[in-house]
Amino acid sequence: MLNFRADIEWVNGQPFSRRYGDIYFSREGGLAEKRHVFLDGNNLRERFASLGCRQTFTIGETGFGIGLNFLCARQLFEETANAGSSLDYFSVEKYPLDERELEQALAPWPEFRRYAVELIQRWRRRVPGWNRWSFANGRVRLTLVIDDALTALPEASASVDAWFLDGFAPSHNPELWTQPVCESIVSASRSGTTFSTYTCTGWVRRSLEKAGFQVDKAPGFGRKREMLRGCLPGAANPSSPPATAIVIGAGLAGCSVASALAARGVAVSLIEQAPRLAAAASGNSLGILHARLSAGMSPLQRFVLASYGYALALLDEKLPVDGIARAECGELQLAFSDDETKRIDKLAALDWPPHILQYVGPADASNLASLKLAHGGLWFPAGGWVVPASVCEVLAADPRITQRLGCSADSLAWKKDTDAGWHVAGQDQNGQSWEQAAQIVAVCTSYQVKNFKPLADFPLTPVRGQITALPVTPPSKNLRTIVSARAYLSPGVAGTHVAGATHGFNDVSLELRTCDHLENLHKLSEISPALVEAWDNDTLHPARLGGRASVRASLPGAMPLAGEFLPGLFTSLGHGTRGLLTAGLCGELIAAAACKQLAPLPGALSRALNPAVRHASRTAR
C-alpha cells in the first residue's frame, strides 16, 4: 500500500489520531508548547542570528504532524537570521494528513496564514517517499519523507544541526523511539548537534545516551514538569556554499542546476553555445509531464516518482498554470496492450493516493478526454504539458545567473594553484577566445559531454526523437487531456496538437523525416481508432505536416548521471525522454552536494545517480 492515511478524528475542534490514540498538540496551547520545547530547547533564536551570509542551518524532525513545528521554525528563522543564510528542514511522517485535514488543522493559527497557504499548495504535490519543496525564494527548504522513520533516517545525509524529536508519546508510538531510531538520528547529525523533546521517559533518555547524545532534563511546558534536551560532542560547523560556479549547457538540465545554485547565493555563469536558451533537446514547442511507473518500485521508479512530485512543485513556484506556457490538463496512460494492462493492473492494486494516479475504465477515460477511447488505464490528474523553453527562461532569470549565450566551451581543466580551481575555455560568438575560472563546474551538455577529456568515456548514446504537429480540427478540438500509448497526443495548443515521439539510437540528424511522421501517425491509432478520423487524408499527408527533431542522450539503465564526478566537477546528463521530470530534482541534488547541504534524495538513490560511483562500478567490471 502506498496510500498512507493519517486516520484522524476531530475532538473539540482538534485533530486526534485514532491510530495512535493521541493528540497532535497540547490542549494547553499548541504554539507556546512548540516554541518552548523545540525552538527554545534548541536555542534556535541565538543560533539563527549567528549564521553568516550563505550559511545553512538544518533541522531534523521525527513526526511532521500538522506542520506547526515547521511553521514556527520558519517564522523564527525569517525574523532573526541573516538575509543571505538558508534553512533546511527535514521531517519524517509515515501517515500524513490530506490537504483538507491539514487546512482545517492549521486554520486556528491566523498568524501563520500566509505560511500555511504556501505549505498546503506544496502539500497537494506530495508523493510516497522523498519530497523537496522550497519557500521564501529558495531560502527555506522542506524535505518531507513519507515513510517509516527507521527506513528514512538512515538514508539522510549527515547534515542536521538540531532535532525536534516529536511524534506521539512513547507509550502510544514506541517504534519511533527505539534504539535503532536514536542511532539513525545520530548518524544523520553533525558534531555539536542538539535535540529537544517533550518526553522525559527514562528508556527514551537511555536510548539517546547510548546512541551518543549528552542528555539533560529541562523544565517542561504546562503540566509537564520536565522535558529532555541534549547535544552531541564537538563544535558546531554550519555549512557554506562555494562563491562561484560555471554551468555548461543551458537546456533544462543546465538551467535547473544554475537556478538551484543561485538560490543558495552562488554567482553562476551559464554557458551556452547556441544564441538562446533551450536550443537543443529542450527546444520542442511543448513537452509532457509523463511519469511512467512500474509496480516493483525499483530505484529508477522511486527516482521518477520523487522527480514527478518535485517537478510539479517547482513549476507551481516558477511557472504557474496559464494555458500558454503550462497547462494541468491531466494525462491518461492507456492499457492498449497485454503488457500495459498487466503493468497498469499491478500499479492500481497498490492503492495510490488519488491526487497522484487513479485507475479508470474505458467509459471514464473517454469522459475525461472528451474523446471515444477503446481502453481504460491510469489517470494522472496533475499531468499536463509545458513549454520547455519557458521553464528554462524562468529558471535562468535569477540575477545571480550571468547568461553567456553564443559561447562555446571547448575545454575544462583543474588548476590546483588557484583559488577557483576549475578553468573553462572556449570561443564567443565573435570567434574570440575566452577563459573563466570558478570553484565548481557543472557539465550539462547531453551526449556532447565527450568533448571534455575528464568525461569522455561516459557511456552516453545519442537518441534522435521527432515530434509531429497536427492541426486542430472540429472533432479534435474536444480533446481535453494528454493521452498516451506508444505515442502521446496533446490537446490543441495555439491551433496545434503535438504527437510523438520517435526513438532513433545513434542518430544525430535534425532533418524532418516523412517516415517518422508516418510512425507517429500509426501509433495514434493505438490511442483511439476514432482519433485518426479527426483528420482527413489530405491533412495527414506527411509532406504537409510540421514538427521538430532533436537529439537526447540515454544511458544504460535509464538513470541520469547527476552528482559530483571529481572534486568540484558535477554532471547532469542522460535524462533521455524524462528531462522535464528529472532535470529539476537533479539540479537540486547537485546544488545541495556542492554546498554540503541536506540531500533531497535518500542516500541509496543519490549513489545510484552519482557519476563517480557509476564510473567506478563500470570500470571495475
Side-chain angles (χ1 to χ4, degrees):
M1 185 185 77
L2 294 173
N3 194 1
F4 303 110
R5 297 180 176 89
D7 191 18
I8 68 170
E9 63 178 308
W10 297 90
V11 179
N12 298 323
Q14 292 182 311
F16 176 87
S17 172
R18 286 190 290 254
R19 186 185 306 277
Y20 293 109
D22 202 356
I23 56 174
Y24 276 84
F25 52 84
S26 169
R27 291 183 173 89
E28 297 181 32
L31 285 186
E33 178 191 44
K34 301 294 186 184
R35 287 169 173 149
H36 173 83
V37 174
F38 298 114
L39 305 188
D40 297 343
N42 284 284
N43 196 28
L44 290 189
R45 180 174 294 275
E46 291 77 9
R47 295 168 78 182
F48 286 167
S50 68
L51 288 172
C53 185
R54 297 178 23 250
Q55 284 189 322
T56 297
F57 192 93
T58 302
I59 294 171
E61 178 185 49
T62 55
F64 189 79
I66 69 170
L68 270 182
N69 288 347
F70 169 66
L71 299 184
C72 287
R74 177 183 173 184
Q75 182 186 61
L76 181 65
F77 178 81
E78 293 188 13
E79 288 175 353
T80 60
N82 183 297
S85 60
S86 65
L87 173 67
D88 267 313
Y89 195 100
F90 171 82
S91 186
V92 180
E93 176 59 63
K94 188 172 182 179
Y95 299 108
L97 281 66
D98 63 27
E99 296 98 307
R100 178 187 56 80
E101 292 166 338
L102 185 64
E103 183 175 15
Q104 185 176 350
L106 292 175
W109 319 110
E111 64 185 281
F112 290 138
R113 173 65 180 167
R114 177 172 63 87
Y115 292 165
V117 168
E118 292 177 356
L119 176 61
I120 293 164
Q121 287 173 342
R122 304 291 192 277
W123 201 257
R124 66 193 185 101
R125 304 308 192 186
R126 69 196 182 280
V127 297
W130 288 57
N131 299 266
R132 168 65 67 89
W133 304 320
S134 70
F135 305 87
N137 296 318
R139 190 178 172 217
V140 176
R141 296 174 292 273
L142 169 61
T143 302
L144 175 70
V145 184
I146 300 176
D147 204 346
D148 186 87
L150 194 53
T151 301
L153 290 171
E155 294 282 4
S157 51
S159 58
V160 177
D161 299 297
W163 283 96
F164 297 171
L165 302 186
D166 202 347
F168 298 108
S171 59
H172 294 272
N173 187 17
E175 60 266 28
L176 196 59
W177 303 89
T178 62
Q179 189 65 45
V181 168
C182 293
E183 291 172 357
S184 296
I185 287 168
V186 170
S187 70
S189 303
R190 306 181 198 267
S191 296
T193 293
T194 63
F195 83 86
S196 59
T197 177
Y198 56 80
T199 186
C200 204
T201 304
W203 63 268
V204 170
R205 174 176 182 162
R206 291 188 292 273
S207 293
L208 290 166
E209 289 176 332
K210 186 176 179 181
F213 279 107
Q214 298 170 347
V215 183
D216 293 309
K217 292 181 180 180
F221 177 83
R223 289 182 293 178
K224 288 189 67 67
R225 190 166 57 88
E226 293 177 319
M227 56 178 257
L228 296 179
R229 64 183 182 185
C231 67
L232 290 176
N237 185 23
S239 63
S240 294
T244 58
I246 295 172
V247 177
I248 305 173
L252 286 165
C255 290
S256 296
V257 174
S259 176
L261 287 168
R264 290 161 167 82
V266 181
V268 182
S269 287
L270 181 60
I271 311 298
E272 171 56 53
Q273 65 179 355
R276 60 184 176 84
L277 303 174
S282 300
N284 285 349
S285 57
L286 64 82
I288 66 169
L289 294 169
H290 176 68
R292 191 177 190 280
L293 302 168
S294 65
M297 295 312 293
S298 65
L300 175 61
Q301 300 307 311
R302 292 166 62 205
F303 170 63
V304 169
L305 183 59
S307 296
Y308 181 60
Y310 183 85
L312 290 170
L314 181 67
L315 288 170
D316 289 344
E317 180 184 356
K318 301 288 187 180
L319 193 69
V321 171
D322 60 2
I324 299 172
R326 178 189 173 202
E328 192 168 313
C329 56
E331 183 202 8
L332 284 165
Q333 295 181 14
L334 302 179
F336 66 95
S337 69
D338 289 343
D339 286 344
E340 279 299 281
T341 299
K342 290 177 183 177
R343 177 183 75 91
I344 286 170
D345 287 347
K346 288 179 180 178
L347 278 168
L350 294 178
D351 188 23
W352 289 80
H355 69 277
I356 299 176
L357 65 85
Q358 307 164 30
Y359 176 79
V360 292
D364 287 336
S366 298
N367 288 334
L368 287 166
S370 286
L371 181 76
K372 178 65 175 177
L373 299 174
H375 308 286
L378 295 180
W379 167 241
F380 289 76
W385 57 261
V386 180
V387 177
S390 296
V391 180
C392 291
E393 287 168 6
V394 297
L395 291 174
D398 192 296
R400 289 161 291 199
I401 299 174
T402 300
Q403 299 181 28
R404 300 193 62 178
L405 306 179
C407 291
S408 66
D410 303 324
S411 66
L412 62 90
W414 170 259
K415 298 183 180 180
K416 64 180 180 180
D417 296 329
T418 60
D419 291 335
W422 283 99
H423 289 243
V424 180
Q427 290 187 330
D428 64 19
Q429 63 256 37
N430 299 316
Q432 299 296 312
S433 297
W434 65 270
E435 183 174 347
Q436 186 176 348
Q439 290 172 277
I440 64 169
V441 169
V443 179
C444 311
T445 56
S446 189
Y447 69 95
Q448 295 167 325
V449 70
K450 296 180 183 293
N451 297 338
F452 301 112
K453 186 176 180 180
L455 310 171
D457 64 345
F458 280 5
L460 289 158
T461 300
V463 181
R464 179 186 180 277
Q466 182 171 313
I467 59 174
T468 298
L470 296 165
V472 169
T473 65
S476 75
K477 72 178 181 181
N478 294 322
L479 181 63
R480 294 191 307 207
T481 70
I482 296 162
V483 283
S484 301
R486 281 197 302 153
Y488 69 85
L489 181 70
S490 75
V493 182
T496 302
H497 300 276
V498 174
T502 60
H503 299 269
F505 290 91
N506 290 307
D507 187 347
V508 296
S509 173
L510 299 181
E511 293 184 4
L512 288 177
R513 297 172 180 165
T514 297
C515 62
D516 283 9
H517 282 322
L518 290 171
E519 180 181 338
N520 286 333
L521 293 174
H522 173 70
K523 290 175 181 176
L524 292 185
S525 64
E526 297 174 335
I527 293 174
S528 169
L531 183 59
V532 180
E533 298 173 7
W535 296 276
D536 57 37
N537 290 333
D538 189 54
T539 302
L540 292 181
H541 194 287
R544 295 186 176 91
L545 295 174
R548 185 175 188 269
S550 60
V551 181
R552 303 177 294 270
S554 70
L555 284 156
M559 288 280 275
L561 290 169
E564 190 170 26
F565 180 58
L566 297 171
L569 177 60
F570 297 81
T571 69
S572 181
L573 301 165
H575 294 274
T577 60
R578 297 188 178 98
L580 266 175
L581 248 62
T582 60
L585 185 55
C586 285
E588 181 71 6
L589 178 68
I590 288 169
C595 299
K596 296 179 175 56
Q597 296 168 344
L598 178 74
L601 285 169
L605 274 186
S606 297
R607 291 187 292 274
L609 293 162
N610 185 270
V613 174
R614 300 259 290 278
H615 184 265
S617 175
R618 189 168 63 90
T619 55
R621 296 192 190 109

